[in-house]
Amino acid sequence: MAEHVVHTQLPGQLVMLGCGSIGQAVLPLILRHLGATPDRITIVTADARGRDEAEQYGIAFREEALTEENHRRVLEPLVGMGDFILNLSVDVSSTAIARLAHERGALYLDTVVEPWGGMYFDRSLSPAARSNYALREQLLQLRRELGRGPTAVSAQGANPGLVSQLVKEAALIVARDTGLERPEPTDRQGWARLFRDLGVKAIHVAERDTQVSDRRKAPGEFVNTWSIDGFVSEGCQPAELGWGTHERHFPRGGMRHAGGCGAAIYLNQPGAGTRVRTWTPNNGPFHGFLVTHNEAISIADYLTARDGDAVLYRPTVHYAYHPCDDAVLSVQEMAGRGWQQQPKQRLMMEEITSGIDELGVLLMGHKKGAFWYGSQLGIDEARRLAPHNSATSLQVAAGVLGGMVWAIEHPTAGIVEADELDYKRVLEVARPYLGPVVGAYSDWTPLDNRAVLFSEDIDPADSWQFKNILVG
């Protein structure tokens, strides 16, 4: 049996909420690297997914959906001082569980700022109220209320999560390669100044999933390589993006938020119905979905340079996602159904026959044009590295593991976002599960396409304007 590095010791009991694709993916990593034994882990989840894997490891499995009404009754007997709540569930409020963890003296980590069930599709709420911007502002308000205390890491998976660490490493590579020599930043204003001085105008979380199976999508079926419920929920939220200071053209249907940090805007249309131009090294140029993600807001906010209340610099930041081909077909079918999800779901896992998940950050506008930096993890390598995984799920699990290690090593930091973690430590823990981590420069721009021949509304003076990136 291979020897695995124990990065740190889990201090108490671990309560894991949810055991879908990501929960199943991260379990073997926790057992390998956190000094945890199965008798110290309890899974609480809404359905039977993951029961077989829990039984395989000898982990307690409790099938009970958490709600606003029952979550304290269920969790308080399970969680005490020094324990850890790992929230990988859907339809369970992140702020509610983070508050409970704080009160119980427990550490906490989630991969997304999640609301109670029903919020994403509540027609009584405005698009702004259903946005990730609004959910993040609720989390930041909780941080202001609670202050210091047990560490609670917000939105630390792959994306959001690892991309906030990769973007820092990517900037340092570009700085080295363009001759911008200076000490490594030590705070958020230092990082903002670095990106400003590099000339970075836009950042994409550019992801292309090429995993395929020998079983094609059937009509009335939603197929994906990771949580279908999670993807549908975020895909039906308004498209959101961090809004950069270089932008000259406010998008049609774009809306600003009335309060909060002011770092992002939203489009009055679903993210899974919004396409953008982007680039990755293996695939080249492609169209991705502008699906809302927490990191589009948190990275843009973190990299905002200010002089008092005046904003001097901010990059435009957003997700640009091409899921596996069967998921694209699933989205198209769902859109045709009036954004009503298909009656059947199928999570691709053991049936995947080939492909990679190419996930990274694309920094654009600096002296060398565009630079992509990230993970090119293939399905075969993912299976060799850890059981119960696809390439997609293992990238998320690696980010979760890195965040958990950081939280255990810094147990009194209060609520923190992925952007505030030590990027070196998190990547050190995660990197063995990411496959090749590569960087590639490109002379691609969003104007390198034949659509320009059809008199598309473009701004040729600045390739990196969002209007050139948005597919009309």
Side-chain angles (χ1 to χ4, degrees):
M1 178 178 292
E3 292 293 327
H4 299 291
V5 175
V6 177
H7 293 291
T8 190
Q9 293 288 329
L10 186 75
Q13 301 291 311
L14 172 65
V15 178
M16 190 169 84
L17 310 184
C19 198
S21 61
I22 305 307
Q24 295 166 40
V26 79
L27 269 178
L29 276 59
I30 289 171
L31 293 169
R32 288 175 180 179
H33 299 291
L34 297 185
T37 53
D39 60 297
R40 294 166 59 201
I41 302 174
T42 300
I43 295 170
V44 179
T45 187
D47 54 49
R49 286 177 292 182
R51 181 181 291 277
D52 291 345
E53 288 74 16
E55 290 180 353
Q56 174 186 330
Y57 292 116
I59 292 171
F61 189 93
R62 179 170 175 175
E63 189 174 336
E64 184 169 5
L66 295 178
T67 66
E68 189 171 4
E69 293 72 30
N70 76 0
H71 70 282
R72 287 185 172 274
R73 172 181 60 80
V74 174
L75 294 180
E76 285 179 351
L78 301 176
V79 179
M81 185 72 66
D83 292 339
F84 202 123
I85 300 178
L86 176 59
N87 186 1
L88 305 176
S89 60
V90 296
D91 293 339
V92 175
S93 167
S94 300
T95 54
I97 305 303
R99 180 186 292 277
L100 184 146
H102 178 90
E103 293 172 0
R104 305 294 291 177
L107 304 177
Y108 173 84
L109 183 143
D110 60 40
T111 59
V112 63
V113 184
E114 186 81 3
W116 291 117
M119 188 276 272
Y120 293 129
F121 304 101
D122 187 346
R123 294 188 178 186
S124 70
L125 297 176
S126 68
R130 295 188 293 107
S131 67
N132 273 321
Y133 184 99
L135 290 169
R136 178 175 180 262
E137 288 296 329
Q138 293 169 18
L139 188 282
L140 295 179
Q141 175 56 39
L142 181 65
R143 172 161 74 175
R144 290 189 288 270
E145 175 187 337
L146 297 180
R148 298 281 291 189
T151 296
V153 180
S154 173
Q156 174 62 33
N159 54 316
L162 281 179
V163 292
S164 289
Q165 289 100 48
L166 288 169
V167 80
K168 291 181 175 180
E169 196 159 85
L172 293 173
I173 294 171
V174 175
R176 179 198 67 197
D177 294 347
T178 57
L180 184 64
E181 297 182 4
R182 64 175 58 181
E184 183 174 313
T186 58
D187 58 22
R188 62 187 298 170
Q189 284 301 297
W191 285 105
R193 286 192 293 270
L194 173 62
F195 277 75
R196 178 197 63 191
D197 294 348
L198 285 172
V200 174
K201 294 183 176 180
I203 301 170
H204 287 179
V205 176
E207 179 177 6
R208 177 64 167 99
D209 185 347
T210 65
Q211 293 171 100
V212 297
S213 80
D214 53 8
R215 178 183 168 192
R216 297 310 304 270
K217 174 189 143 35
E221 179 183 52
F222 200 111
V223 180
N224 199 17
T225 56
W226 61 281
S227 171
I228 293 165
D229 293 331
F231 184 31
V232 169
S233 294
E234 69 184 24
C236 290
Q237 286 179 270
E240 296 183 78
L241 60 157
W243 192 242
T245 48
H246 75 289
E247 300 286 1
R248 297 195 291 259
H249 314 277
F250 200 72
R252 184 174 63 252
M255 302 291 289
R256 299 185 187 274
H257 293 275
C261 69
I265 65 171
Y266 66 95
L267 307 183
N268 211 0
Q269 60 195 55
T274 307
R275 295 180 302 157
V276 288
R277 299 180 177 92
T278 194
W279 183 92
T280 61
N282 190 66
N283 192 84
F286 63 91
H287 287 177
F289 295 122
L290 200 169
V291 173
T292 178
H293 262 199
N294 181 278
E295 78 270 12
I297 305 157
S298 71
I299 292 175
D301 190 14
Y302 189 82
L303 296 180
T304 298
R306 300 178 184 272
D307 182 5
D309 293 333
V311 174
L312 305 178
Y313 165 81
R314 178 187 296 130
T316 293
V317 186
H318 60 81
Y319 194 17
Y321 180 38
H322 192 306
C324 72
D325 290 348
D326 276 350
V328 173
L329 292 174
S330 300
V331 169
Q332 291 174 343
E333 183 183 46
M334 183 176 70
R337 292 164 53 92
W339 299 103
Q340 297 295 317
Q341 188 180 342
Q342 295 90 324
K344 298 179 181 178
Q345 293 185 359
R346 176 160 53 90
L347 180 68
M348 289 169 54
M349 189 64 71
E350 298 303 325
E351 69 195 63
I352 297 174
T353 57
S354 63
I356 71 170
D357 200 323
E358 189 175 29
L359 168 64
V361 292
L362 182 66
L363 279 58
M364 295 164 280
H366 48 80
K367 288 182 180 179
K368 295 177 74 68
F371 179 68
W372 186 94
Y373 187 67
S375 163
Q376 295 177 326
L377 180 60
I379 183 61
D380 292 335
E381 184 170 6
R383 286 171 173 158
R384 287 195 299 270
L385 290 171
H388 317 307
N389 269 287
S390 69
T392 308
S393 65
L394 188 55
Q395 288 167 331
V396 179
V400 170
L401 179 67
M404 291 183 72
V405 169
W406 188 91
I408 294 168
E409 293 175 343
H410 302 81
T412 59
I415 294 176
V416 294
E417 296 189 283
D419 314 274
E420 299 167 307
L421 306 186
D422 178 355
Y423 79 93
K424 292 179 182 178
R425 180 56 169 154
V426 175
L427 290 177
E428 176 188 23
V429 172
R431 199 178 296 268
Y433 292 105
L434 298 178
V437 176
V438 303
Y441 288 101
S442 174
D443 59 3
W444 170 85
T445 81
L447 297 182
D448 294 343
N449 66 84
R450 292 186 177 181
V452 176
L453 299 176
F454 295 92
S455 301
E456 187 168 326
D457 182 20
I458 60 171
D459 183 346
D462 181 2
S463 298
W464 310 115
Q465 290 289 307
F466 179 68
K467 74 177 303 180
N468 296 334
I469 288 166
L470 182 66
V471 178

